[in-house]
Amino acid sequence: NIQTEFIGECIGLGEDEPAGQIELGTLDFTLIRVGVALEDRIPFIELFDETQDTYDLAEAIFEGSYEDYVPEIARQFPEANTYGDLMFFTHIGLRPVARGVRLGLAVVYKAIQDWASGCSLVVMNPYPLQNGQLEPDGGEWAELDLKQFTDSFGDARQRLIAYYSQLGFKPAGDNPYIFFDPCIQQPRASRLRFPETIFVDRQHLS
């Protein structure tokens, strides 16, 4: 499991404005090394039994024998094979100052570019944080200011699906996940209009 924080370098606009850093958010993902497990003769059930999240993923995407993807995924991703690795995004949290500038897309895009080599599929569960992943009024809940999001679970989830579809993610079958085939070229970063600069208030600097 890999957790990374993305930090912004802040540059003052005047001589009296000091440079600083600001934490923009966190990204968690798991690289499931299927190829290594096969070489070491590790049973698939043990490989995916590390966490509840990976166990649920395996139950949703594989046939009972773990030798094939369920038909819906196999049809939509015919080039994906079950002996390739999987990249599984489990958590993406953006602080309020980083929202509305397509930074979430940029971070996921960069992670795929850097880590998805050798993966058959990249998977994400577009589950809105405000609808159950975090405890209300908890530390991260407050840091991410999730109380401002009052939409229903269904509406919030559909917005996330539409958002990440810009990278090529799409649903497949009757499961909660969205999938991306890393063998298919992603859109150019310039077409996705990723931010080069984010303006923040001085109070957000650390």
Side-chain angles (χ1 to χ4, degrees), residues 29-162:
F29 61 91
T30 299
L31 288 175
I32 304 172
R33 298 299 192 186
V34 176
V36 173
L38 289 173
E39 290 178 2
D40 293 344
R41 300 181 182 276
I42 298 173
F44 267 32
I45 186 62
E46 292 183 16
L47 177 65
F48 286 93
D49 201 30
E50 288 293 319
T51 69
Q52 187 65 50
D53 285 336
T54 54
Y55 178 83
D56 291 343
L57 174 66
E59 288 292 295
I61 70 174
F62 289 112
E63 296 278 48
S65 63
Y66 288 84
E67 295 180 358
D68 298 294
Y69 289 123
V70 295
E72 297 89 346
I73 294 175
R75 282 196 297 269
Q76 288 206 41
F77 303 98
E79 301 301 320
N81 56 73
T82 54
Y83 50 83
D85 296 342
L86 294 170
M87 184 178 188
F88 181 29
F89 288 99
T90 54
H91 177 86
I92 303 168
L94 291 179
R95 291 178 177 266
V97 70
R99 294 187 186 128
V101 292
R102 306 171 70 81
L103 187 62
L105 282 184
V107 170
V108 171
Y109 181 95
K110 178 63 173 172
I112 292 173
Q113 294 287 312
D114 289 348
W115 293 90
S117 176
C119 291
S120 290
L121 286 174
V122 179
V123 189
M124 178 189 300
N125 184 352
Y127 196 105
L129 294 180
Q130 68 272 21
N131 290 105
Q133 275 200 348
L134 298 177
E135 289 294 327
D137 301 324
E140 190 174 6
W141 176 282
E143 290 177 4
L144 299 181
D145 192 23
L146 295 179
K147 66 179 183 297
Q148 66 176 292
F149 298 104
T150 58
D151 295 344
S152 69
F153 170 79
D155 289 343
R157 184 174 184 275
Q158 287 303 315
R159 274 207 309 277
L160 287 174
I161 292 173

